[in-house]
Amino acid sequence: MKDTQIKKLIEAEKKRQKKAINLIASENYVSRDVLEALGSELTNKYAEGYAGKRYYGGNDIIDKIEELCIDRALKLFRLDPNEWHVNVQPLSGSPANLAVFTALVPRGGVKQEDGTTSVAGKIMGMSLDQGGHLTHGQKVSATGKFWQQIPYGLDPVTETINYDQLREIAMKEKPTIVVSGYTAYPRIIDWKKMREVSDASEGLMMVDMSHIAGLVAGGVYPSPFDYADVVTTTTHKTLRGPRAALIFVKKDARELYKKIDKAVFPGLQGGPHANQIAAVAVALKEASTPAFRKYANQVVKNAKVLAEELEKRGWRLISGGTDSHLILVDTWNDGKKREPLVKDAAGKAEAGAGAITGKEASERLEKQGIIVNKNAIPFDKRPPADPSGIRLGTAAETTRGRKEKDFKLIAKKMDEILRK
Ligand code: DSN
């Protein structure tokens, strides 16, 4: 590279990534093949439209790449192309979710043929502070400005989803769409029960499986495809691909997929990024191998060990543990030091873990080379910029070959850093 300034910064970031222990739950390390596809000449091509229906010439090869990506996406999640459609063009997760709502949820303030003005449809989504994502209808996101969010949260005692409560909200509010799949929820989601919630409102069921897509592909987390109408996912978290997103849509008489394709292009995007689509195709092929299944299995095993080892040392975990790659730790514990749980060799108890805010915890860990993100915990009394917890994930370090014994050491080190 001739641009020495950028080259130096890339080298510095490479070095940082190599040295750090990366516990950011939404990050991973892609293969050389994925990087090669991303950095290829495919970036030079404009391809507005869809395969076989482009607005520019010279797209025969790009068509083949997009079709291959579609084929691989459906195969990976064991979907029949007669029953499921997938759009592989979304640039990332937020535009993918925006495209779904643009296509399927009525907007307010639009003059109708009969002279009346339309009322905005409702998106039922988990609140941000309970583990939901910005694009599931939060006020600060376009999805909360153009549509009305009907928020839901967790049970305050179990810190898990109370499906009966959700059904009641859905029956009362009648949202157009109910969104599940979260950004900070460590447990298995009962898709069948989420279907019942959508049915209670006679609405659509959308799953944003961004965090867990690699686990679903690897067969270690239940698949939402038996129940959902629409499934979105980013491709760069547990799925271990480039930054991009996919929208899967059930194909039936409602023809929702036609509306969604139109919302992606020309609704919200221009030319798709062919290099990104090729890189997604590479990642999808990698994710269909036995090695990836083994990887996904190890991700969950590692998360369980990390959770157990932290809990053993007195750290409170939201919902008491994890079923996935993700752990949410209440480091603040309402400002109270916890009872000591670990005894040293002489039988003397160590100081109790906590209380430390999420911000301070993440800063302290970073200074010692462990990267996490501060995170709100359900019913957090602290502000989002300095919340009560941290979020951890095992996908990235498992890619680097770390196993249970390594995560035991990581937990020990984290405890030593945070306890001081
Ligand atoms: N930023 C991603 C996450 O960390 O979950 C979601 O957008």
Side-chain angles (χ1 to χ4, degrees):
M1 188 186 282
K2 291 194 200 72
D3 185 333
T4 50
Q5 269 177 302
I6 287 293
K7 188 178 160 88
K8 259 195 202 152
L9 290 169
I10 293 175
E11 287 306 322
E13 172 59 13
K14 255 164 84 175
K15 220 161 135 190
R16 185 200 69 77
Q17 290 188 12
K18 227 173 170 172
K19 257 177 69 187
I21 294 177
N22 183 4
L23 301 182
I24 302 273
S26 47
E27 292 184 7
N28 213 324
Y29 296 105
V30 299
S31 67
R32 296 305 308 174
D33 286 5
V34 167
L35 283 181
E36 210 174 294
L38 268 181
S40 68
E41 289 72 8
L42 296 173
T43 198
N44 299 333
K45 189 68 195 111
Y46 247 119
E48 278 160 323
Y50 290 101
K53 289 172 278 181
R54 306 283 185 188
Y55 290 83
Y56 291 73
N59 270 308
D60 289 0
I61 296 160
I62 303 297
D63 280 4
K64 287 194 180 113
I65 289 170
E66 188 162 336
E67 278 164 353
L68 191 55
C69 187
I70 289 170
D71 186 50
R72 288 181 180 177
L74 295 172
K75 280 205 177 104
L76 178 64
F77 293 102
R78 299 169 283 281
L79 302 174
D80 179 342
N82 293 316
E83 288 177 13
W84 283 89
H85 171 82
V86 60
N87 188 309
V88 300
Q89 294 194 2
L91 303 178
S92 208
S94 298
N97 288 347
L98 185 59
V100 173
F101 301 138
T102 301
L104 306 181
V105 186
R107 279 179 302 286
V110 181
K111 252 232 151 44
Q112 305 295 291
E113 276 172 13
D114 63 3
T116 58
T117 309
S118 65
V119 177
K122 296 174 179 175
I123 298 169
M124 182 166 154
M126 190 183 278
S127 310
L128 195 61
D129 63 340
Q130 303 268 308
H133 191 255
L134 278 170
T135 59
H136 298 177
Q138 315 297 327
K139 262 276 160 281
V140 289
S141 141
T143 60
K145 295 187 197 300
F146 302 156
W147 298 281
Q148 185 192 346
Q149 191 201 40
I150 303 301
Y152 66 89
L154 301 176
D155 181 284
V157 177
T158 62
E159 296 174 317
T160 58
I161 300 168
N162 178 340
Y163 296 93
D164 293 336
Q165 204 174 56
L166 261 58
R167 227 182 348 254
E168 276 170 33
I169 300 174
M171 273 164 83
K172 180 167 166 260
E173 296 286 351
K174 299 268 181 234
T176 309
I177 198 161
V178 179
V179 189
S180 52
Y182 313 107
T183 198
Y185 186 70
R187 295 304 190 173
I188 280 175
I189 302 161
D190 188 331
W191 304 123
K192 185 167 183 276
K193 289 197 174 144
M194 284 311 305
R195 177 78 249 175
E196 287 163 16
V197 173
S198 296
D199 288 345
S201 68
E202 293 159 28
L204 297 164
M205 172 176 173
M206 169 177 165
V207 174
D208 178 346
M209 64 167 186
S210 293
H211 263 273
I212 49 173
L215 308 183
V216 173
V220 294
Y221 195 101
S223 167
F225 287 99
D226 287 341
Y227 300 100
D229 298 299
V230 181
V231 178
T232 59
T233 184
T234 50
T235 48
H236 48 273
K237 298 185 173 86
T238 50
L239 198 52
R240 212 163 61 182
R243 312 190 75 83
L246 307 170
I247 307 175
F248 295 88
V249 198
K250 187 112 200 189
K251 261 184 174 170
D252 54 27
R254 298 171 296 178
E255 298 197 322
L256 304 178
Y257 73 94
K258 287 190 178 167
K259 293 184 186 171
I260 286 180
D261 277 357
K262 273 195 193 146
V264 173
F265 173 82
L268 295 167
Q269 295 184 185
H273 297 181
N275 57 324
Q276 205 185 19
I277 292 172
V280 171
V282 171
L284 294 170
K285 189 171 181 194
E286 289 172 358
S288 67
T289 58
F292 190 88
R293 289 182 87 83
K294 216 167 140 194
Y295 160 73
N297 195 31
Q298 190 65 50
V299 167
V300 176
K301 279 200 218 162
N302 287 348
K304 281 206 190 304
V305 166
L306 181 57
E308 280 163 18
E309 292 291 315
L310 287 171
E311 204 169 33
K312 206 164 90 181
R313 290 174 167 81
W315 295 96
R316 193 180 87 78
L317 309 182
I318 300 308
S319 81
T322 181
D323 304 319
S324 63
H325 65 303
L326 187 149
I327 300 160
L328 199 53
V329 189
D330 174 6
T331 52
W332 179 240
N333 195 38
D334 255 342
K336 297 187 286 278
K337 276 258 183 208
R338 277 171 281 269
E339 288 303 308
L341 295 181
V342 180
K343 293 194 174 163
D344 64 17
K348 236 181 86 191
E350 290 179 16
I356 174 170
T357 71
K359 182 166 180 274
E360 198 190 336
S362 79
E363 285 170 0
R364 255 200 228 173
L365 289 166
E366 181 159 0
K367 277 192 197 126
Q368 302 296 324
I370 299 178
I371 313 296
V372 306
N373 65 277
K374 57 179 179 277
N375 216 99
I377 61 165
F379 310 98
D380 208 327
K381 297 187 200 100
R382 299 190 57 82
D386 189 8
S388 296
I390 53 174
R391 187 185 67 164
L392 315 174
T394 52
E397 289 303 320
T398 306
T399 292
R400 295 166 125 182
R402 291 198 201 271
K403 298 243 163 59
E404 289 94 325
K405 64 174 182 357
D406 306 302
F407 277 91
K408 278 189 181 177
L409 291 176
I410 291 173
K412 184 167 179 285
K413 191 168 171 197
M414 286 180 69
D415 177 58
E416 283 163 5
I417 295 166
L418 297 179
R419 184 179 284 272
K420 278 182 204 147

